[in-house]
Amino acid sequence: MVRLDLTAFRSYAHIRLEAGLGPIVLTGPNGAGKTNLLEAVSFLAPGRGLRGAKLSTVSRRHADGTIPQPWAVAALIVNPDGEVRLGTGLSPDGKDKRLVHVNGMAVKGQAALSRHLGVVWLTPAMDRIFLDAPASRRRFLDRLVMAFDPDQAGRIAAYEHAHRQRLRLLRDGIDDKAWYLALEDTLARYGVAITAARADLVARLNGALAQVRGPFPGAVMALAGETDRWLAEMPAVDAEERLRVQLAQARQADTPDPGPHRSDLVVSFGCPGHPSHGLPAALCSTGEQKALLISIVLASARLQTAKRGFPPVLLLDEIAAHLDPARREALFADILAMGVQAWMTGTDEALFEGLGSQAQYWQVRENALFSRPRQASF
């Protein structure tokens, strides 16, 4: 990404950041607006950004609570296709939906963003991901899948739309067998496709993570759920039929629906010889959990770069403060070796000195950006 423009986004009325393709370091006091910049970049991926915010709450507000204009984020990126202009923002019609533009043309659906740019993030709020409900881990995995396989965003959107429609029919007591069967067919087809994409990436990640050496640990990942088990035991077409049958039975018995929305991502520590080897991530120390997350994200970035020909953008909020010096230097070395553009925030610029002159440094003060000279190499 070589340019980022924000309009009426959170605390920013308007701001432009001209950047090169290397790492970007944003430093400043708490509350200065650093995370807001990362959140803006996260909206260049499908979904509701790194905070999972309701879209209307992202718009900048006057002191009286009124919204002067809908928010918008635009970026100029460079990938093997050349320069691409991406834009997204809140619809001006008052509805909680967002619009997407590619090279100035309106496109349908947010999946188009993933075809031009992969975005993956780690925030302090994700430190509890291994202790939270399965939904948090599914969202984390699906973001990795979308950065690797852009069509996953469309599959999930279609699945969730059909799922909402079916729940509405059940809630309203509508007895229309043909309608239910049509929706359940859609859920089966997209549900198994979602599961297959997850399984493919998990298998690739396990292969990459098994080769990890250094201060960041390896990890062993697995998917736990009925749909995941079916797909592992039978061809995809048979798994689809099994899911159709199970959905119909759940509807008739008024029991919870099976499907990829009930799967879980199971992660364990994978370092032979280490005292925590084989330990479920939920039972590891907080430092080990953080290191596992970073290992997974870095492995995903390498896989995406190899498959798509360009690396994703990494958003690493307050990442350096919680790493010991060895892991901090290893993280910087991996970022530079991959040629990935990592946006990193922190309150202390000294924590990023290992990046030397290869990063761009910006101070954020009261929602304004001030460029800092590139540091000497260390």
Side-chain angles (χ1 to χ4, degrees):
M1 185 185 309
V2 296
R3 187 174 69 227
L4 176 70
D5 285 282
L6 311 187
T7 301
F9 188 94
R10 294 287 189 189
S11 52
Y12 295 96
H14 177 74
I15 198 167
R16 168 172 285 187
L17 188 152
E18 299 276 3
L21 296 177
I24 295 172
V25 175
L26 303 168
T27 58
N30 293 327
K34 304 185 298 296
T35 304
N36 288 347
L37 290 168
L38 266 60
E39 183 183 24
V41 178
S42 75
F43 274 107
L44 296 172
R48 293 182 177 271
L50 60 79
R51 287 188 173 107
K54 185 177 180 181
L55 298 178
S56 59
T57 66
V58 177
S59 293
R60 186 170 183 269
R61 296 173 182 267
H62 287 313
D64 62 2
T66 59
I67 299 175
Q69 65 185 111
W71 63 268
V73 176
L76 177 65
I77 68 168
V78 178
N79 61 28
D81 296 327
E83 291 188 346
V84 181
R85 290 176 292 120
L86 300 179
T88 187
L90 183 65
S91 173
D93 61 8
K95 296 180 179 179
D96 194 47
K97 65 178 182 179
R98 64 175 171 131
L99 308 178
V100 175
H101 289 80
V102 176
N103 289 328
M105 301 293 292
V107 297
K108 185 177 181 180
Q110 302 170 28
L113 294 168
S114 293
R115 295 190 175 90
H116 301 283
L117 181 69
V119 185
V120 179
W121 56 83
L122 283 178
T123 69
M126 295 170 63
D127 289 350
R128 288 184 51 84
I129 193 169
F130 297 121
L131 304 176
D132 287 343
S136 296
R137 292 183 287 279
R138 286 195 300 272
R139 287 193 295 268
F140 171 67
L141 177 59
D142 282 330
R143 283 195 298 271
L144 298 181
V145 175
M146 282 182 235
F148 185 78
D149 176 2
D151 291 334
Q152 183 78 339
R155 298 179 194 115
I156 291 174
Y159 182 89
E160 290 180 344
H161 179 69
H163 193 237
R164 286 193 300 270
Q165 282 189 306
R166 184 173 175 278
L167 289 176
R168 192 176 301 117
L169 294 182
L170 291 168
R171 181 196 63 202
D172 295 342
I174 296 176
D175 186 15
D176 188 326
K177 184 177 180 180
W179 199 349
Y180 281 115
L181 291 176
L183 290 173
E184 287 161 4
D185 178 69
T186 298
L187 289 170
R189 287 185 292 107
Y190 283 107
V192 170
I194 290 167
T195 302
R198 289 174 178 171
D200 177 67
L201 182 59
V202 165
R204 293 172 185 266
L205 284 170
N206 279 335
L209 289 163
Q211 307 303 315
V212 167
R213 299 292 183 272
F216 288 109
V220 179
M221 307 172 66
L223 292 165
E226 283 187 298
T227 314
D228 307 287
R229 189 181 72 253
W230 297 336
L231 190 59
E233 296 174 347
M234 61 186 73
V237 64
D238 293 335
E240 287 182 18
E241 184 57 29
R242 175 72 66 86
L243 184 50
R244 288 187 191 92
V245 171
Q246 293 292 319
L247 284 166
Q249 291 178 352
R251 165 168 45 90
Q252 294 159 7
D254 194 24
T255 56
D257 295 335
H261 63 287
R262 297 198 175 277
S263 295
D264 195 3
L265 173 65
V266 180
V267 178
S268 59
F269 202 91
C271 286
H274 191 281
S276 296
H277 178 63
L279 197 65
L283 300 180
C284 291
S285 70
T286 55
E288 288 172 337
Q289 291 174 356
K290 186 82 168 185
L292 283 169
L293 281 172
I294 293 173
S295 285
I296 292 169
V297 166
L298 292 176
S300 171
R302 293 188 195 97
L303 289 174
Q304 181 188 155
T305 303
K307 180 182 179 183
R308 301 182 66 187
F310 58 94
V313 168
L314 300 184
L315 307 178
L316 305 174
D317 196 17
E318 297 291 344
I319 191 71
H322 302 289
L323 296 177
D324 60 47
R327 282 179 173 165
R328 192 160 57 238
E329 295 306 310
L331 173 63
F332 296 159
D334 278 346
I335 287 171
L336 294 173
M338 285 190 289
V340 67
Q341 187 180 69
W343 294 59
M344 294 170 280
T345 67
T347 56
D348 184 357
E349 189 173 303
L351 292 173
F352 300 94
E353 65 181 14
L355 290 164
S357 62
Q358 300 182 78
Q360 306 153 73
Y361 299 87
W362 297 81
Q363 282 195 346
V364 185
R365 299 195 301 270
E366 297 179 351
N367 305 301
L369 285 173
F370 302 89
S371 179
R372 298 279 289 169
R374 289 176 180 263
Q375 301 181 4
S377 296
F378 290 85

